Amino acid sequence: QVQLVESGGGLVQAGGSLRLSCAASGDIFSITTMRWYRQAPGKQRELVASITRGGSTNYADSVEGRFTISRDNTKNTVYLQMNSLKPEDTAVYYCNADVIVKRTYGVLTVWGQGTLTTVSS
């Protein structure tokens, strides 16, 4: 049993910044890749950024240069620093992780509940 809990979303004006956090807990042996997705109203869920355990990152073109994904492996936590926010960044942001489970060493893909970020103009 593994859970992801996001926090840090809120209301911010265009040009501002927010930092999202996602903490994993449960029967965790290790976490390989962690990701942030987002889903805007009326649109499909899209991958925003990903990070491997070793720190390799990838970003969607729409956020490249503005967002930074990072992780603290000692805390099983991933972060998304969002700078220069635009109204089109408004979405529910979801954390996602590939988790190696204790004892069985199976791999679970786990989702958080989402946190709403609203960027006003």
Side-chain angles (χ1 to χ4, degrees):
Q1 186 69 49
V2 178
Q3 303 83 36
L4 302 180
V5 179
E6 301 102 331
S7 62
L11 176 63
V12 65
Q13 291 187 334
S17 298
L18 284 175
R19 190 193 195 208
L20 307 183
S21 299
C22 172
S25 61
D27 295 333
I28 300 168
F29 175 77
S30 184
I31 302 176
T32 55
T33 302
M34 305 187 82
R35 308 171 186 88
W36 287 98
Y37 287 78
R38 67 185 181 187
Q39 188 165 22
K43 300 183 69 175
Q44 295 296 115
R45 192 171 299 187
E46 64 175 342
L47 178 63
V48 176
S50 66
I51 184 167
T52 68
R53 185 170 182 84
S56 297
T57 59
N58 290 102
Y59 298 93
D61 289 344
S62 58
V63 307
E64 182 77 50
R66 299 188 297 120
F67 290 11
T68 302
I69 189 171
S70 61
R71 63 190 287 173
D72 184 340
N73 292 332
T74 68
K75 299 178 180 179
N76 288 326
T77 299
V78 63
Y79 307 94
L80 187 67
Q81 179 66 46
M82 305 187 293
N83 298 328
S84 301
L85 282 161
K86 305 174 180 179
E88 50 263 46
D89 295 318
T90 295
V92 177
Y93 284 73
Y94 296 91
C95 180
N96 166 281
D98 295 333
V99 180
I100 301 173
V101 180
K102 285 182 177 176
R103 296 178 294 278
T104 70
Y105 302 103
V107 179
L108 298 178
T109 298
V110 187
W111 291 85
Q113 84 287 353
T115 184
L116 176 63
T117 291
T118 302
V119 184
S120 66
S121 60

